[in-house]
Amino acid sequence: MEPLMAVAIGFMYAAAIFLMLRRSIVKLVIGLMLLTNAANLLIFTSAGMTRGAPPLIPEGMLAPEGVVADPLPQAVVLTAIVIAFGVLAFAVVLIRRAYEIVKADDLDKMKDTDT
Amino acid sequence: MMQLAVLSGFALAAFAPLFHRWFGDRASFVFAAYPAALALWFLNQLPAVMAGETLVLAMEWVPSLGMSLTFVVDGLSLLFALLVTGIGTLVLIYAGGYLKGHPDLMRFHLAILAFMVSMLGLVLADGLFTLFVFWELTSITSYLLIGFNHTDLEARKSARQGLFVTVAGGLALMAGLAMLGVAGESWSLRELNAMGDVLREHDLYTPLLICLLLGAFTKSAQFPFHFWLPNAMAAPTPVSAYLHSATMVKAGIYLLARLQPSLGGTEMWTVTLSVVGALTMFTGAFLAIRHTNIKKLLAYSTIMALGTLTMLLGIGTEGALIAFVTFLLAHSLYKGSLFMVAGILDHETGTKDVTAMGGLRPLMPITAVVAMVAALSLAGVPPLFGFIGKELMFESVLEASAWRWLVLLLAFSAAILTIAVAAIIALRPFFGQRRQTPRVAHEAPASMLLGPAVLAVLSLVLGLLPVLAGAGLLTAAASAVAGTPVEVKLSLWHGINLPLLMSLVSLALGYLLFKRWDRVRARLALLDPLISRGPEAGYDALMDGVVVVSEWQTRVLQNGYMRNYILVMILTLIALIGNSLLLRHAPQFHIALDVQFHEVVVVGTMVMGALFATISRSRLGAVVSVGIMGFSIALLFILFSAPDLGITQLLVETLTVILLVLVLFRLPRFSSLSTPLERVRDVAVAGSLGGLITLLILTSWSIDQFVPISDYMIANSAPLAHGRNIVNVILVDYRALDTLGEIFVLALAAIGVFAMLKLRAPEKPKKSAPAKENADG
């Protein structure tokens, strides 16, 4: 499974970077979303992928039975998902506001500090 | 603890504003009590140090790094410490008069007290690190003091110049000290001084000496770095009197003297120091007589004195070292006094130009007497202390081993020029025809007269009774510089010998020069174009170059095009990862493809989503594709044992799509803005990064470098944290601070979103909720 994921993540990175290099500011945002998802997957797969063994401890026991998936990358990714959403919400609203003021969605036209 | 007593000065500086509120303009006199108390303490140590003892006040700072805050009081340190605290006391009192009513007096006290402590720490420090820290602190505080009149462009420029030159030297010094520590395998000056033979034979001797000399020469304004010192006269006169004659500029000299036992005596040391010293001496004295500004005159004559001191250290014989400590003390006394006199003249007449003054003697009798005494000492006329210093200097030059005739010639001409300078300062303003000055001159207040008078009287007393200084302080100081006990026997009368003859001839010639000063100056004006091409022009060219280069690199790197920034970052990333992955470690991986059909379908959907998001020409298409991709990822999380992630991703993805649909549709449609060529370039860049990431992931799976810490978390979740969902336990327990930080970030983002949507010129309100709803992380 891991090699397949490696290729898929690599592709998502490539797509994200390509979008971020566009001049249209909306594409930049979509690229940013692809990038955060790709990074989350990268962290998630870094500890290996385990099928059907969530890191949960059954009732009445002190440790999970058998091998479970590594919980640490999951916790980190959980934080990252939420933070990424915060960043996205902020970026999207910021762009909207910027567009209202400078009336341009072309990043090349947004390079001056005074509008 | 002595360390605390010294360092408490920083606290005093910090409380300067408070003292000003309590004492107003009289705060100067309150502050003066601090150096006065320290001076008394140091005087109290004199008997012990005279007896040949070295006071070691050990104190740890960072023991694990071998850094100590140990202070050492030997003869040399004591001499400097007494100068710093003694003259510091007088300067503070003087400043109370000079800057009376100045709105920024508080700032002045803050900086000068901080400087005083730094300088004191510098001359007492035993550890190389400590020395360096205090050294840099003197540079920074002196920058603040030179630029005290910060509304004046010239002052700012001079302050910056002084800072750049001394801090550049400080960098060299740091390298030199590091090499010294490595070569001697010790960070203590005391221990290093005991192993001179090892150091002088060490392979690092030449590079470390070059670095240390660069540091010392820039700080002590040696040729060709002398130009910053006259410019530093933009500072208020108390600062000039303190920093630029008695203390800071002597820090480099102090360092050289301190290192004399461990590094001195080699041919490189002797030749470099004597020749640079002699050149500095002559340059200073020669450039002095071109000026009519009294502070510039004094500044250049200070350069001359600093050159003399360096030269004497270079000659390095026992006689030269005795001359060194004597000249050092003599110079500090008369130069401090003369600077304060210059300040009085400036303050009371409103001009710094000596040619604009004249006949002030009846109006300012005390100042005139003080100026005369100090200037006689500068000129080296018996029975003043300066005379003894000069005699000893001539004696040492006559026994110089390296380049004797050049050094002698330069020293002799410098002496003549110095006598002329002394005469200009002492005679020009006070005698001759009365001239109209911008302000009506009158005698200075007592607070301003005290400092110069005390120093001038000391010059006279020590000249008449040289044994007072020679037997005690100077013996100890000379012994510390020599590294072996040296007996200093000073006397006014050495018999009729060559030095005396040289003194007399130089006096006569110097007086002649003074008489013809105006004509000489006119002649020297012809040399102006040549002098303007001196080392300072080099400094200016260097600074202009820095500006040009930074303008150019800003234009190239900071050009305002977002995609260029991203491109640079991505290419750097590719280069770094590629270099490390492909060239340093061959990519290694074993591919074991173990997949099930439904997993391939989910991953395929995810990839297709990403692809369509990239190539879609409509905004809705892109948003929907991103949504499909996000939901596929959620499914993947659930398939691979991460139910919490799956749930979170589902929630967030739903919100994201809503947000994008709501907001992005207020933006214009996609437009194709780039050329096909640009697209090819971007595909290439993006493709290489993607490929590298794939390789990186594959490689990282085949390498296990560390034992995972999650085993500990799995084992202890239930027993210690009483939670069954290990991921949740990690978030709220093991990494609780992280989660707290995350909540802060989200709250900030929510406030930002709210502010951007709500705070505006009256318009219809917009949605603002989304960012708050995901506190489930």
Side-chain angles (χ1 to χ4, degrees), chain B residues 397-421:
Chain B
V397 171
L398 285 171
E399 60 189 38
S401 55
W403 304 58
R404 183 184 301 158
W405 295 108
L406 175 71
V407 171
L408 186 63
L409 185 71
L410 291 174
F412 187 63
S413 6
I416 299 172
L417 293 163
T418 305
I419 287 156
V421 169

Side-chain angles (χ1 to χ4, degrees), chain A residues 22 50-51 96-97 108, chain B residues 563 599 641 666 682 756:
Chain A
R22 302 299 90 210
T50 317
R51 290 192 187 87
R96 201 192 103 112
R97 203 56 209 273
D108 282 12
Chain B
R563 60 171 185 283
E599 290 165 0
S641 321
R666 299 180 171 270
D682 294 346
M756 278 192 286

Side-chain angles (χ1 to χ4, degrees), chain A residues 1-15 17-24 26-30 33-34 37 41-42 44-62 64 68-72 74-75 77-79 81-83 85-86 88-90 92-97 99-100 105-108 111, chain B residues 559-563 566-567 570 591 594-596 599 603 606-607 611 614 622 626 629 633 636-637 639-645 648-649 652 655-656 659-660 663-664 666-668 670 673-674 679 682-683 686 689-690 693-694 697-698 701 709-710 713-714 717-719 723-727 730-731 742 745-746 749 752-753 756-757 759-760 770 774 777:
Chain A
M1 188 61 201
E2 282 89 352
L4 182 65
M5 284 308 291
V7 175
I9 294 169
F11 179 81
M12 281 171 73
Y13 262 97
I17 297 301
F18 179 78
L19 277 175
M20 289 179 82
L21 287 168
R22 302 299 90 210
R23 274 165 66 180
S24 160
V26 184
K27 286 186 179 170
L28 178 77
V29 174
I30 293 175
M33 291 171 63
L34 288 187
N37 276 315
L41 279 177
L42 174 64
F44 180 67
T45 53
S46 66
M49 300 177 75
T50 317
R51 290 192 187 87
L56 299 171
I57 301 170
E59 197 73 41
M61 296 183 70
L62 284 178
V68 291
D70 193 334
L72 189 56
Q74 293 192 18
V77 171
L78 196 65
T79 309
I81 293 175
V82 178
I83 292 278
F85 179 70
L88 180 77
F90 190 84
V92 166
V93 177
L94 183 68
I95 284 169
R96 201 192 103 112
R97 203 56 209 273
Y99 177 68
E100 277 179 2
D105 70 327
D106 181 355
L107 282 167
D108 282 12
K111 68 202 252 325
Chain B
N559 54 10
Y561 290 107
M562 177 76 166
R563 60 171 185 283
I566 298 178
L567 214 54
I570 298 293
I591 296 176
D594 153 38
V595 286
Q596 294 172 7
E599 290 165 0
V603 174
M606 179 184 84
V607 170
L611 181 65
T614 313
V626 169
M629 181 195 73
I633 293 175
L636 262 181
F637 285 148
L639 283 176
F640 287 94
S641 321
D644 301 286
L645 287 188
T648 315
Q649 175 83 10
V652 164
L655 286 173
T656 307
L659 180 76
L660 288 178
V663 175
L664 287 190
R666 299 180 171 270
L667 296 176
F670 279 177
L673 294 168
S674 45
R679 259 171 269 166
D682 294 346
V683 166
L689 185 77
I693 295 283
T694 302
I697 299 172
L698 289 173
W701 272 323
I709 53 170
S710 28
M713 294 169 169
I714 294 171
S717 272
R724 306 199 170 277
N725 184 335
I726 303 174
V727 175
I730 292 176
L731 285 174
E742 181 196 355
V745 171
L746 284 179
V753 169
M756 278 192 286
L757 291 177
L759 305 182
R760 59 171 70 200
N774 46 80

